[in-house]
Amino acid sequence: MSDQSSKLPRFSPKKRALGGVFSPLILRIMAVNLLALAMLGGGLLYLNQFRQNLVANFTDQLIAQAEIISGALGEAATGGDDATSIDITAARQILGRVLEAQQSRARLFAVEGPLLVDSRFLGPGVSVFPLAPPDQKQTWQETILNSLNDWLDQLTFDDAIPIYRERAGQEARDYDEVITALTGEREVTMRRVANGDLMISVAVPIQRFRRVLGALMVSADTSSIQDIVRQERISILRIIGLTFLVTMLLSFFLASTIARPIQRLAHAADRVRRGTGRSTDLAKSANRRDEIGHLSQTVYDMTMALYAQLRAVESFAADVAHEIKNPLSSIRSALETIERTDNPEVHEKLLAIVQDDLRRIDRLITDISDASRLDAELSGGKTKKVDMGLLVGSLVDAYQTTGKGGEVQVNYHGPSEGDIYVRGIDSRLGQVIGNLLDNAVSFSTPQDKIDVTLEKYKTYMELTVDDQGPGLPPGATQKIFDRFYSERPPDEAFGTHSGLGLSISRQIIEAHHGSIEAVNILDEEQGQEVVTKPDELVHDLPVVGARFIIRLPLA
């Protein structure tokens, strides 16, 4: 026994960290909610496409402006059809008039290369680089938003764009686009200024009858575009911030309604496991009308079933100890008496008592062993469709054929096979029917008869076993199903039955989702048979037998 028990796996519950503000389930809820927020934040990167479209439109406008100015210069600032140079005075007037309300900068280069006119120096109304606003103290929100904008600008920074540099004495050779324009072709170039904005330059030739007289370079920075993009970013960031706040609040709400109740349920179950908590702690969330409430109720019911099983095991152990202790006490008394007497007749009687008690202990151990294995077999056994007509008919035929019932006549009333099916374990159902037949035979006298009737109803079947014995004592219709309860005929030897047969029968039937009950059959003065309800006492009517009724759901 010790060798076998040492080989059994020892159960050690895993220790899990269930506490803390952020449990794994809470973190998963937050991760799922923040994933959608991250996808929204990823939309900030798509502003690059929006900015590129704005830059493209801005470039088109700058090209159109350069084409208009170059056309005007070609017509009005060349001094006639045979002109070979540009009239600087006229060019200054045209540029000043056209660029008066523009934020772009125009530079006019001669064919030979020197800079002829720069709109920056035409007057105070034209300026490519406006003065920076005076320094103002920023709020913390503005500081954060500007830092985020600068960081996003760094992400989209293109190192391939050259830096804009301007020499003191500018010439056409300083700008590749101007060199291209002097060859008669239009050219667009992008450069980056010190503050990170783009500088777009459009160089177009100034022609008179296809003769290139010079090159016009119109340039402007994209600070206005950058302001638009930054404002859009700020709007999106504000939406993201508000969404983040709402998401976190919703996450904590879900955590308080889902994760924390499950956490409390796990703590309560763990306290019950350790024996330091009450089972009522598990029922605190059972009133919820959701899956958490259903889970709490299920865990609570499971715990109550476990407690009931533990109490049943304790009661069973106490009953077993009591039942075995009685024959052991009898054996000990008999052995002590044998030692004190030399009378052979007394020795023989005492040895007979010892043998009877030993046989009783053997029967008890056999029945107890069968009862202890019953739960495991019923919970883990494979069920199948059982033909009850065939099963009951076969058992009754076995009684009649083998003569197990002695002179008692056993009759079967019901279908033979193929009509009534239940789902269960056929061997255990046969054990119940055998127990009822054995019980009925033990209370019957020769020439009595036992009627076994099987009937089918809409959703269940009913099996009755009627005998013609003395019936059940008043108040015993429920007690006869208790363990070790024995109400035997007067002429039966003490200890012949262990008192577990009907208890095991009820356990098997209830495991098959059925019911079993016992009632008395009373004989009225007219000779009709009536069946009493459990524990009902009908005075002045003789008892003509007992009836056991089994009801099982149909398969």
Side-chain angles (χ1 to χ4, degrees):
M1 180 68 179
S2 60
D3 294 338
Q4 293 179 353
S5 61
S6 62
K7 295 179 181 179
L8 294 176
R10 193 178 289 270
F11 172 74
S12 69
K14 294 181 179 180
K15 295 182 179 180
R16 299 182 182 273
L18 298 175
V21 177
F22 297 103
S23 68
L25 184 57
I26 294 177
L27 294 177
R28 288 189 182 96
I29 292 174
M30 291 184 177
V32 170
N33 289 334
L34 291 176
L35 180 61
L37 184 61
M39 296 175 65
L40 177 62
L44 288 171
L45 301 178
Y46 285 97
L47 285 176
N48 293 335
Q49 184 65 37
F50 172 68
R51 177 169 57 185
Q52 291 175 3
N53 293 334
L54 291 178
V55 170
N57 292 333
F58 186 79
T59 303
D60 292 340
Q61 295 176 6
L62 204 60
I63 291 173
Q65 182 182 3
E67 294 286 356
I68 293 173
I69 296 175
S70 67
L73 291 175
E75 291 294 332
T78 55
D81 295 339
D82 297 330
T84 58
S85 62
I86 299 174
D87 186 349
I88 297 178
T89 303
R92 288 178 180 274
Q93 293 177 352
I94 293 173
L95 291 178
R97 195 69 72 86
V98 173
L99 298 176
E100 184 176 1
Q102 302 294 328
Q103 292 297 322
S104 55
R105 177 184 181 185
R107 279 167 281 189
L108 183 60
F109 293 89
V111 176
E112 294 80 10
L115 176 63
L116 301 177
V117 181
D118 188 347
S119 63
R120 173 184 289 185
F121 306 108
L122 294 180
V126 179
S127 177
V128 176
F129 304 106
L131 295 175
D135 293 336
Q136 295 180 354
K137 187 176 181 181
Q138 295 180 340
T139 63
W140 64 271
Q141 297 96 332
E142 292 175 343
T143 302
I144 294 176
L145 290 175
N146 288 333
S147 299
L148 286 174
N149 262 317
D150 293 338
W151 178 71
L152 291 172
D153 287 338
Q154 290 295 324
L155 288 179
T156 58
F157 185 82
D158 189 357
D159 295 334
I161 299 178
I163 303 298
Y164 174 77
R165 292 183 177 84
E166 183 177 317
R167 293 192 310 111
Q170 301 178 58
E171 293 186 0
R173 63 184 181 182
D174 296 332
Y175 307 100
D176 294 336
E177 62 269 31
V178 175
I179 298 299
T180 302
L182 290 176
T183 63
E185 299 293 334
R186 183 184 67 197
E187 181 72 16
V188 178
T189 302
M190 291 187 183
R191 296 180 179 85
R192 192 176 299 279
V193 295
N195 62 357
D197 293 340
L198 291 177
M199 169 73 74
I200 301 176
S201 300
V202 178
V204 295
I206 299 175
Q207 297 175 322
R208 182 74 175 179
F209 295 111
R210 295 186 178 274
R211 179 186 299 172
V212 177
L213 304 179
L216 174 68
M217 185 175 73
V218 179
S219 58
D221 66 353
T222 59
S223 58
S224 58
I225 295 177
Q226 190 68 13
D227 290 341
I228 294 174
V229 173
R230 286 201 165 213
Q231 290 300 321
E232 292 297 324
R233 282 179 181 168
I234 290 174
S235 300
I236 295 177
L237 287 172
R238 285 173 177 168
I239 294 174
I240 291 176
L242 180 61
T243 306
F244 176 78
L245 179 61
V246 174
T247 299
M248 294 302 294
L249 292 177
L250 290 176
S251 298
F252 280 109
F253 171 75
L254 289 175
S256 63
T257 56
I258 296 177
R260 295 194 184 281
I262 294 178
Q263 201 176 75
R264 288 194 295 268
L265 186 63
H267 279 302
D270 189 59
R271 288 195 298 272
V272 170
R273 178 187 62 81
R274 296 196 306 267
T276 58
R278 298 176 300 172
S279 59
T280 53
D281 295 340
L282 296 172
K284 290 183 178 180
S285 301
N287 295 327
R288 291 173 51 132
R289 302 288 183 179
D290 56 11
E291 288 78 2
I292 301 297
H294 179 68
L295 175 63
S296 301
Q297 186 63 48
T298 302
V299 174
Y300 176 75
D301 293 340
M302 182 181 65
T303 305
M304 291 296 99
L306 179 60
Y307 280 165
Q309 187 68 20
L310 292 175
R311 287 192 294 268
V313 170
E314 292 174 356
S315 176
F316 184 72
D319 293 340
V320 168
H322 175 74
E323 291 297 323
I324 293 181
K325 185 176 181 180
N326 288 337
L328 288 177
S329 299
S330 176
I331 292 173
R332 183 176 60 184
S333 299
L335 293 176
E336 291 175 352
T337 304
I338 289 175
E339 292 178 355
R340 292 194 298 267
T341 180
D342 295 329
N343 191 333
E345 295 181 359
V346 175
H347 279 196
E348 185 177 353
K349 291 181 180 180
L350 291 175
L351 289 176
I353 292 174
V354 171
Q355 291 177 357
D356 288 340
D357 288 334
L358 288 175
R359 283 192 293 269
R360 182 183 174 191
I361 292 175
D362 181 66
R363 282 192 298 272
L364 278 172
I365 293 175
T366 301
D367 291 342
I368 289 168
S369 176
D370 185 49
S372 63
R373 292 195 305 267
L374 186 60
D375 275 337
E377 182 179 344
L378 291 176
S379 61
K382 294 183 179 180
T383 61
K384 62 180 182 179
K385 290 181 68 174
V386 180
D387 189 339
M388 292 299 295
L390 178 61
L391 179 63
V392 178
S394 299
L395 289 173
V396 173
D397 288 342
Y399 262 79
Q400 294 174 342
T401 303
T402 61
K404 189 175 181 180
E407 298 181 10
V408 180
Q409 182 180 359
V410 183
N411 301 317
Y412 171 60
H413 310 281
S416 58
E417 59 180 304
D419 185 31
I420 300 176
Y421 290 91
V422 299
R423 180 161 291 279
I425 303 175
D426 53 355
S427 61
R428 289 302 182 179
L429 292 175
Q431 178 184 355
V432 173
I433 299 170
N435 286 344
L436 296 184
L437 290 175
D438 290 341
N439 185 75
V441 169
S442 66
F443 282 97
S444 299
T445 59
Q447 309 306 322
D448 282 350
K449 65 176 183 179
I450 298 173
D451 292 319
V452 180
T453 305
L454 180 63
E455 294 181 299
K456 179 181 180 181
Y457 293 91
K458 186 175 181 180
T459 58
Y460 67 95
M461 54 129 285
E462 183 177 280
L463 175 68
T464 58
V465 179
D466 296 348
D467 63 45
Q468 295 178 336
L472 303 171
T477 55
Q478 293 298 322
K479 290 193 297 183
I480 59 173
F481 295 104
D482 293 342
R483 285 192 300 267
F484 303 111
Y485 178 84
S486 182
E487 191 73 38
R488 307 309 306 168
D491 57 345
E492 183 178 285
F494 177 75
T496 303
H497 292 83
S498 63
L500 287 173
L502 291 178
S503 174
I504 291 175
S505 298
R506 181 174 65 175
Q507 187 177 359
I508 294 173
I509 293 300
E510 290 180 350
H512 286 76
H513 309 289
S515 64
I516 182 172
E517 60 177 323
V519 293
N520 279 327
I521 303 175
L522 302 179
D523 189 7
E524 291 185 336
E525 294 179 357
Q526 294 83 2
Q528 298 176 349
E529 291 184 349
V530 295
V531 180
T532 67
K533 295 180 180 179
D535 292 336
E536 180 183 3
L537 300 179
V538 180
H539 300 287
D540 302 329
L541 292 179
V543 176
V544 296
R547 171 174 293 179
F548 284 84
I549 306 170
I550 295 175
R551 296 183 180 90
L552 290 171
L554 295 174

